[in-house]
């Protein structure tokens, strides 16, 4: 009997004295008494008690004795004693997964016992134990034995445990390729037999071996999808006994959904159309609840399938007929479903119009689909999700249709609203739609890119305003800003309106500020991170517009602090301009904790060590919540709650939990957590507790592991068209997390770990010569592995689009360093100079030099140099990291050389003199760069200590006070000032920015520079 | 605008619209997965057209352990609503009601006597919502919450244990008219 992870109970036949000593943990007494009993009673169980008690002592030999005992037990041909297995499993707990593998030792012992005693309740305990160590091979064997032993028990779980485990094994790396094939055939056959029983039995009873419950049927379909073929799947979906609609009629929707998911990639549109039609009709006829499958996704698939039918027009008309039936069902249905129906009608209008290919009706643009958008908005424009509902449709309208929407339908709707509050809501929606259209390419027409022999910077003409432009139209954006700001002012000036706002779903000023803010960001020249991977992120940006946007969004957040979309946007922008400590203040109130960290933490923590290492010096370790989340969730071998799913008969949940567990173990956010923390630890010269590759959370990460990014951008307030880059692409510092970046960063940390390794001080090898050879071989092996792995990544053609420019340079240098170190260590003193070394070191110097240039000599003319320096700490961080890598690599080689010289006076085992001189030169370059960078930051700190900064920041934001007269086309500056409350009010914000920049620079001077 | 379907673990990567709202608690991973493992049909989500979760309900089926069978606080086989939340942008569309109705359907399918839930006694909006759906106060659990949602000077707050009878309870034996008058201690609540 096991009690969780605690001590097992001893057999009841054991005497009280020994029982008491055992339960008290009085191990020396247990050993003495058990030894005595073993000798007198000749019962090996007492020997097992003794060995288990010894495992609790401190001595390595005593602790390890249980491993030998287990090995002996495995070798025995007889069925082991279950109590002995329990004892050994408890005693060997710390060694499992380290010294011994459960699947090779205790798992097979449990299998042997369970097979001999399948009807015993303890056999189920054996299954549970195997699952606790995620030993699927043993668990599957036990479950098969249990199933055979309980054929007529009526407990269906045994049969489906066996099937589920066979399936898990058939897709698990725990099983070799050929075995996987056998298991996949086996599970498919088992379930096929069960499916036939269900199809051919009028009423399946509990005792039958057919498929009965929703979970059992869904398990069958999952297996069919994984191991069957399309035809079998399709045949079964259509069948009368186990078809997708059968369960639907019984009130179970899961299978219907999963079938649609499976059929879509196969292009089985006829079947999708038929299933959706029948399913929806079940609701109309009252077989199921009316709106049971009235989900938008079902309608969208139904409509997509109709548009691919042989006679699409007729099919789409049928869709619309069914829609009408739903509209007619009742008026008191939930708003949610009414909206789904309206959106489905809109979707079908778009499909129909695509068929007619006459979306533009003459010059008016008043097509049925535009009218449909108007009708939908008329119904729900005051709902928070109205913009998101129509965004996808508006963005694919032709220009004529868009113009009709903006010039005719929306103004008409506006005029028909008597209520002032609802008017401003519509006004803010109109601003959002106008912004959306300004980002859509169909609103521009091509203009000759070369006129009179001169290349034009604005190769388009905006069809709304007729101005020459690039995408998005600057003139339109300026107009949108002015209009949104005007409405914003109107609300602020109208007390009656302000009194009405609490009754609305949302203060319209939030959306208006967002329109102004994002328009300013676009006008500033901010590019999507995927399109501007190289160089400083703000190199081509008009700083004043970017700062105005940040000021405005910050002001709005101060007024509506519950707006998390705005908060996310502002936090990212603050990271982008280097006001990191302020970004943290903006981030914290969202209280991102526990489960949502994996999806949301990258929005703040990604690259954080390259922006502000000072944040790691807070009262609580910065990454601790993330680390503890992963520790709690992945600390044990099996997926969390897997036994709960087994014992509840939730077979699809078992598969889901297993899949999710694998995903979480290979999360990019997890690697980000380890890398950021390791970098910060190195920055401050703190002792690394554990090398990154040995971290327990990294145990599933191999070179070929696909690391998955699941960052959740869903809460970003996106006004962008769905076909172009989304707002997060513009405000993020560089490309998002990726498999490649996670791997290359992880390998780079391993490289730094190798360079930093020092043997314990008291380590004195008995045979120094052998030890030196071992050390050299170890270094060569490690470097070869790292060099090979890094080469595979560095040579990926798309890598530059997945990294920032400084990252690309840094990782390239690290790769080159592994090559240089390999060449250095593998060249004997008497060999010719390695030919590869000079070009490699030359490339390293060039790369370092280009980073220096990026840092110190590339400030664009329109950017104030101090602002450029403050907003580009990411490059500074990589210059420092690269210089450190160069310096430490050279130091690593030179230290090796010195050790060899000291050990072997003949000098034969020392390194080549050219290598040594090359490394000395590299070390000097690294040191010089570090000193230079530190001095650069020191100067920056001194500069920030001077007075007059608030004025200067406001000058960066709005220009000089005396120059505040608008330049042509900048009519919006006054509008921004109005919203934020004037220049004086902006001063408070400038103070916050200044403070944060100062904090950041101060933090950089706290890191180690030697 | 929305789909209703069973929760899938990967939905945990799309919770921000619900869980960044301060009124929605974020739990440890095991808590969500336990519900998915044990009562998958009682863990339902609403998702928007972009795959974001805009509402969810977590429920379970249970009865008090047998040892309490003769206690006056014994709870027979019933469904319990552990959490129900709707993202701010998706409110006023009836999503909370639809999710609750779906859980009630599952409760009926599992032949339960009633559905119950706990709500802060000052959460008038939620109480009104549940009353409109047929729930009534069964008892007041004194000082159930270790803080007070609206009064920082108080260190605790009562909970209302609200119930709605299911089809099985034909005689309406498991609800009472004047539940506000029945006060119990948190230790009486299983």
């Amino acid at each position: 009997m096991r009690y969780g992870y605690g001590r097992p109970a001893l057999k009841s036949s054991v005497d009280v004295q020994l029982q008491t000593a055992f339960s008290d943990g009085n191990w020396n007494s247990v050993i003495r008494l058990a030894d005595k009993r073993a000798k007198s009673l000749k019962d090996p169980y007492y020997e097992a008690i003794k060995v288990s008690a010894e495992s609790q002592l401190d001595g390595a030999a005593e602790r390890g004795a249980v491993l030998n005992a287990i090995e002996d037990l495995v070798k025995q041909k007889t069925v082991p004693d279950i109590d002995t297995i329990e004892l050994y499993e408890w005693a060997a707990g710390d060694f499992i997964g380290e010294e011994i593998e459960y699947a090779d030792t205790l798992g097979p012992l449990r299998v042997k016992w369970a097979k001999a005693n399948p009807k015993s309740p303890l056999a189920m305990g054996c299954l549970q134990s195997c699952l606790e160590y995620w030993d699927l091979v043993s668990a599957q064997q036990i479950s098969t034995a249990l199933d055979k032993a309980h054929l007529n028990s009526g407990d269906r779980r045994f049969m489906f445990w066996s099937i589920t485990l066979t399936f898990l094994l058939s897709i698990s790396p725990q099983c070799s390729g050929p075995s996987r094939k056998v298991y996949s055939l086996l599970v498919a056959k088992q379930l096929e037999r069960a499916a036939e029983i269900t199809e051919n039995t009028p009423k399946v009873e509990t005792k039958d071996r057919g498929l009965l419950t929703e979970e059992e049927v869904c398990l069958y379909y999952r297996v069919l999808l994984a191991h069957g073929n399309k035809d079998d799947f399709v045949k079964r979906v259509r069948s009368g006994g186990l078809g997708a609609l059968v369960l639907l009629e019984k009130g179970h929707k899961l299978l219907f959904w999963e079938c649609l998911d499976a059929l879509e990639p196969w292009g089985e549109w006829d079947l999708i159309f038929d299933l959706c039609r029948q399913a929806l009709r079940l609701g109309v006829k009252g077989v199921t609840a009316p709106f049971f499958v009235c989900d938008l996704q079902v309608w969208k698939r139904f409509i997509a399938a109709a548009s691919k039918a042989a006679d699409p027009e007729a099919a789409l008309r049928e869709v619309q007929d069914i829609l009408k039936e739903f509209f007619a069902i009742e008026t008191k249905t939930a708003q949610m479903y009414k909206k789904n129906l309206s959106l489905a009608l809109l979707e079908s209008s778009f499909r129909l119009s695509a068929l007619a290919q006459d979306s533009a009706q003459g010059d008016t643009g008043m097509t049925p689909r535009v009218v449909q958008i108007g009708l939908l908005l008329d119904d729900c424009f005051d709902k928070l999700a109205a913009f998101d509902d129509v965004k996808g449709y508006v963005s694919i309208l032709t220009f004529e249709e868009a113009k009709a929407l903006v010039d005719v339908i929306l103004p008409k709707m506006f005029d028909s609203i008597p209520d002032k509050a609802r008017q401003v809501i519509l006004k803010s929606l109109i601003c959002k739609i106008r912004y959306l259209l300004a980002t859509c390419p169909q609103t521009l027409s091509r203009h000759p890119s070369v006129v009179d022999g001169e290349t034009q910077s604005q190769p388009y003409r905006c069809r709304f305003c007729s101005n020459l432009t690039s995408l998005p139209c600057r003139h339109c954006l300026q107009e949108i800003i002015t209009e949104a700001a005007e409405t914003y002012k109107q609300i602020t000036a109208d007390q009656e309106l302000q009194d009405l706002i609490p009754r609305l779903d949302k203060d319209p000023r939030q959306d208006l500020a967002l329109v102004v803010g994002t328009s300013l960001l676009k006008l500033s020249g901010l590019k999507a991170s995927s399109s501007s991977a190289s160089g400083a992120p703000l190199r081509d940006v008009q700083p004043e517009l970017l700062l105005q946007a940040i000021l405005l969004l910050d002001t709005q957040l101060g007024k509506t602090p519950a707006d998390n979309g705005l908060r996310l946007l502002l936090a990212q922008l603050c990271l982008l301009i280097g006001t990191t400590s302020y970004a943290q203040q903006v981030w914290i109130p969202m209280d991102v904790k526990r489960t949502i960290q994996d999806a949301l933490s990258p929005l703040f923590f990604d690259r954080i060590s390259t922006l502000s290492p000072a944040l790691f010096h807070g009262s609580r370790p910065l990454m601790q919540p993330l680390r503890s989340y992963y520790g709690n969730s992945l600390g044990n071998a099996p997926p969390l709650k897997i036994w709960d799913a087994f014992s509840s008969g939730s077979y699809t949940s078992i598969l889901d939990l297993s899949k999710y567990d694998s995903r979480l173990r290979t999360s990019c956010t997890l690697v980000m957590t380890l890398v950021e923390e390791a970098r910060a630890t190195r920055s401050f010269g703190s002792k690394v507790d554990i090398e990154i590759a040995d971290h327990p959370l990294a145990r599933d990460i191999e070179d070929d592991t696909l690391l998955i990014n699941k960052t959740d951008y869903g809460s970003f307030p996106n006004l962008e068209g769905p076909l172009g880059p989304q707002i997060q692409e513009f405000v993020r510092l560089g490309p998002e997390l990726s498999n490649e970046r996670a791997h290359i960063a992880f390998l780079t940390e391993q490289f730094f770990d190798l360079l930093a390794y020092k043997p314990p001080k008291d380590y004195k090898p008995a045979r120094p010569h052998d030890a030196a050879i071992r050390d050299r071989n170890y270094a060569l092996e490690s470097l070869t592995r790292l060099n090979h792995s890094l080469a595979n990544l560095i040579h990926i053609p798309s890598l530059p689009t997945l990294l920032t420019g400084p990252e690309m340079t840094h990782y390239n240098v690290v790769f080159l360093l592994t090559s240089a170190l390999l060449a250095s260590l593998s060249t004997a003193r008497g060999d010719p100079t390695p030919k590869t070394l000079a070009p490699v070191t030359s490339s390293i110097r060039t790369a370092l030099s280009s980073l220096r240039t990026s840092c110190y000599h590339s400030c664009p003319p329109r950017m104030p140099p101090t602002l450029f320096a403050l907003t580009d700490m990411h490059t500074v961080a990589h210059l420092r990291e690269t210089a450190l890598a160069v310096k430490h690599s050279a130091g690593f080689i030179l230290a090796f050389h010195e050790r060899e010289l000291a050990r072997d006076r003949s000098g034969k085992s020392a390194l080549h003199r050219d290598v040594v001189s090359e490394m000395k030169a590299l070390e000097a370059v690294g040191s010089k760069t570090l000193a230079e960078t530190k001095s650069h930051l020191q100067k920056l700190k001194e500069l920030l200590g001077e007075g007059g900064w608030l004025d200067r920041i406001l000058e960066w934001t709005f220009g000089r006070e005396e120059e505040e007269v608008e330049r042509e086309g900048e009519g919006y500056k006054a509008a921004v000032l109005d919203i934020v409350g004037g220049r004086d009010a902006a001063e408070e914000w400038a103070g916050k920015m200044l403070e944060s920049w100062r904090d950041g620079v101060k933090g950089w001077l706290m890191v180690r520079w030697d | 605008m929305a789909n209703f379907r069973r929760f899938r673990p990967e939905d945990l990567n799309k919770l921000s619209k619900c869980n960044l709202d301060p009124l929605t608690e974020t739990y440890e991973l095991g808590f969500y997965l336990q519900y998915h493992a044990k009562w998958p049909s009682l863990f339902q989500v609403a998702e928007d057209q972009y795959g974001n979760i805009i509402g969810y309900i977590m429920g379970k089926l249970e009865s008090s352990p047998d040892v309490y069978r003769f206690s006056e606080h014994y709870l027979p086989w019933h469904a319990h609503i552990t959490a129900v939340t709707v993202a701010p942008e998706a409110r006023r569309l009836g999503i909370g009601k639809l999710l609750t109705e779906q859980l009630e359907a599952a409760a009926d399918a599992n032949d339960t006597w009633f559905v119950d839930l706990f709500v802060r006694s000052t959460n008038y909006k939620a109480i009104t919502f549940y009353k409109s759906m047929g729930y009534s106060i069964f008892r007041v659990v004194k000082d159930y919450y270790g803080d007070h949602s609206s009064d920082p000077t108080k260190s605790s707050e009562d909970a209302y244990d609200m119930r709605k009878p299911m089809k099985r309870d034909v005689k309406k034996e498991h609800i009472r008219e004047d539940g506000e008058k029945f006060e119990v201690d948190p230790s009486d609540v299983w």
Side-chain angles (χ1 to χ4, degrees), chain A residues 592-611:
Chain A
V592 173
K593 62 182 179 189
R594 300 177 188 148
T595 303
I596 56 175
Q597 292 181 102
D598 186 58
L600 290 173
S601 288
L603 300 176
F604 180 75
F605 292 97
D606 187 23
R607 300 190 170 100
I608 197 75
S609 63
T610 71
L611 298 176

Side-chain angles (χ1 to χ4, degrees), chain A residues 46 219 324 489 547 549 598-599 759 831 900 923:
Chain A
Y46 289 98
L219 172 66
K324 278 179 204 154
K489 267 165 53 188
L547 293 174
D598 186 58
D831 289 349
E900 286 303 291
E923 192 176 43

Side-chain angles (χ1 to χ4, degrees), chain A residues 62-117:
Chain A
E62 288 92 341
R63 277 169 58 81
V66 67
L67 301 183
N68 295 331
I70 290 172
E71 202 181 319
D72 290 344
L73 206 57
V74 172
K75 282 181 194 155
Q76 281 175 23
K77 293 220 166 107
T78 53
V79 175
D81 169 43
I82 187 67
D83 294 288
T84 302
I85 299 176
E86 298 280 2
L87 269 176
Y88 285 169
E89 193 164 306
W90 163 72
D94 290 346
F95 297 111
I96 297 171
E98 305 289 334
E99 307 288 326
I100 57 168
E101 289 303 323
Y102 191 90
D104 299 332
T105 51
L106 291 153
L109 286 173
R110 291 215 174 253
V111 172
K112 213 186 267 184
W113 190 89
K115 279 185 174 172
N117 305 276

